[in-house]
Amino acid sequence: MADYMTRCLGPVLVSLVLSGVLWGCAVVQTYVYYKLFPKDSWRFRALVCYSYTWFSGSSPPRFTNLLISNSFKVALEMCLQTAHLAILVLGVWQTVMSGYDQRSSPWLAITTAISVVFNGPIAFCTQAFFVFRLYTFSQKKALVIFCALLVVTQFVFTLMVSIATVTAGALSLDPWQWFIIFGLFVTICADTTVAVSLSYYLKANEPAFGRTSRVVDRMVLYIMATGMITSISSLASGISILITPDIYTWLGFIIIESGLYTNCLLAALNARC
């Protein structure tokens, strides 16, 4: 039983606690967002580069793609994050209450795998926000297409592994180890590329006057920090799979990633103040 607790339940319980903490941080950031930006529309609208107007006073470039408004994105992220945490709590409860003291091999309730399904949409929403903002600032179609392909690839691989695991009715690493590692590698590439590129073009369009320049510096700091955090989490998960695949530390890192992405989006939005 001690071996089962160490290899399986321990990492998942720690990730559950951290997910709860991240959800609480997201709730606070959501309150701050609606307090600071009450005029953000709930309607579907064209994403106009308000950042260009605020930072440089210039007219935003043309952008014909229709996106969800920032308020709707925040509400969607919080709904998905809340569902993710609720299902995770249910999964851990079912695991603990299903005779864990009689098991000698790692086993988790399938509900835990269902909670991981939410990682794909949550990460995709956040990364899409940054990719479209990158297009607005850079106008470099090749760079944006490359980042978009990375984001879509990560989304597809995450859903494939999660849905296949749920369908199989078992949380097993063996059939999907290299799929997961490839998905984590793509995540690191996407987050790092978008963060570095967006920071570069933000600084390139930085205005000369004081207060707005400080806002740009703060946004660059937030973007680099959030991109590094999600990349480090994915890297840690990949290393855990390669070094200790029988210990579910890798799953713990994957579980908390959704909370990191939600807080990344909210931090980027709130950094405008």
Side-chain angles (χ1 to χ4, degrees), residues 47 50 67-68 70 73 123-134 194 198 219 264-265 268-269 272:
L47 180 63
Y50 49 75
L67 293 177
I68 303 173
N70 290 334
K73 287 178 185 175
F124 180 79
C125 183
T126 300
Q127 290 173 321
F129 169 79
F130 285 115
V131 168
F132 280 108
R133 179 169 283 188
L134 175 61
V194 172
L198 189 52
M219 287 202 67
C264 286
L265 174 62
L269 291 173
R272 297 174 292 165

Side-chain angles (χ1 to χ4, degrees), residues 119-211:
N119 281 19
I122 291 173
F124 180 79
C125 183
T126 300
Q127 290 173 321
F129 169 79
F130 285 115
V131 168
F132 280 108
R133 179 169 283 188
L134 175 61
Y135 173 79
T136 306
F137 279 107
S138 68
Q139 293 293 290
K140 303 291 184 182
K141 292 184 178 180
L143 175 62
V144 173
I145 290 174
F146 174 70
C147 293
L149 287 175
L150 290 176
V151 171
V152 172
T153 302
Q154 179 204 353
F155 177 64
V156 170
F157 268 78
T158 301
L159 285 186
M160 282 176 56
V161 175
S162 301
I163 294 174
T165 301
V166 174
T167 304
L171 188 59
S172 176
L173 177 62
D174 295 336
W176 301 101
Q177 180 170 350
W178 292 106
F179 275 80
I180 296 174
I181 292 175
F182 179 76
L184 293 171
F185 173 76
V186 172
T187 299
I188 295 171
C189 292
D191 291 343
T192 304
T193 304
V194 172
V196 172
S197 301
L198 189 52
S199 299
Y200 171 79
Y201 286 107
L202 269 171
K203 292 297 290 183
N205 290 279
E206 182 178 5
F209 46 94
R211 181 181 181 277

Side-chain angles (χ1 to χ4, degrees), residues 4-224:
Y4 170 63
M5 291 285 291
T6 302
R7 295 168 57 191
C8 184
L9 276 184
V12 175
L13 287 173
V14 172
S15 67
L16 172 61
V17 174
L18 292 177
S19 294
V21 172
L22 290 171
W23 182 83
C25 293
V27 169
V28 174
Q29 289 206 75
T30 301
Y31 172 79
V32 172
Y33 168 75
Y34 284 110
K35 193 75 173 178
L36 294 176
F37 307 103
K39 295 183 180 180
D40 276 3
S41 174
W42 280 86
R43 297 169 298 176
F44 284 78
R45 61 186 181 181
L47 180 63
V48 179
C49 182
Y50 49 75
S51 300
Y52 260 86
T53 305
W54 290 353
F55 293 165
S56 60
S58 62
S59 300
R62 291 185 179 181
F63 193 79
T64 57
N65 297 286
L66 292 180
L67 293 177
I68 303 173
S69 67
N70 290 334
S71 296
F72 191 90
K73 287 178 185 175
V74 171
L76 177 62
E77 282 270 336
M78 285 307 300
C79 288
L80 290 173
Q81 187 60 34
T82 302
H84 169 268
L85 181 61
I87 295 175
L88 179 61
V89 171
L90 178 61
V92 173
W93 172 265
Q94 290 177 341
T95 300
V96 173
M97 299 303 292
S98 298
Y100 72 93
D101 57 331
Q102 301 174 1
R103 299 181 185 274
S104 58
S105 59
W107 179 88
L108 290 172
I110 195 60
T111 320
T112 308
I114 296 176
S115 69
V116 180
V117 175
F118 287 89
N119 281 19
I122 291 173
F124 180 79
C125 183
T126 300
Q127 290 173 321
F129 169 79
F130 285 115
V131 168
F132 280 108
R133 179 169 283 188
L134 175 61
Y135 173 79
T136 306
F137 279 107
S138 68
Q139 293 293 290
K140 303 291 184 182
K141 292 184 178 180
L143 175 62
V144 173
I145 290 174
F146 174 70
C147 293
L149 287 175
L150 290 176
V151 171
V152 172
T153 302
Q154 179 204 353
F155 177 64
V156 170
F157 268 78
T158 301
L159 285 186
M160 282 176 56
V161 175
S162 301
I163 294 174
T165 301
V166 174
T167 304
L171 188 59
S172 176
L173 177 62
D174 295 336
W176 301 101
Q177 180 170 350
W178 292 106
F179 275 80
I180 296 174
I181 292 175
F182 179 76
L184 293 171
F185 173 76
V186 172
T187 299
I188 295 171
C189 292
D191 291 343
T192 304
T193 304
V194 172
V196 172
S197 301
L198 189 52
S199 299
Y200 171 79
Y201 286 107
L202 269 171
K203 292 297 290 183
N205 290 279
E206 182 178 5
F209 46 94
R211 181 181 181 277
T212 309
S213 179
R214 289 194 297 272
V215 172
V216 174
D217 291 337
R218 186 165 63 247
M219 287 202 67
V220 169
L221 178 62
Y222 271 98
I223 290 169
M224 288 300 296

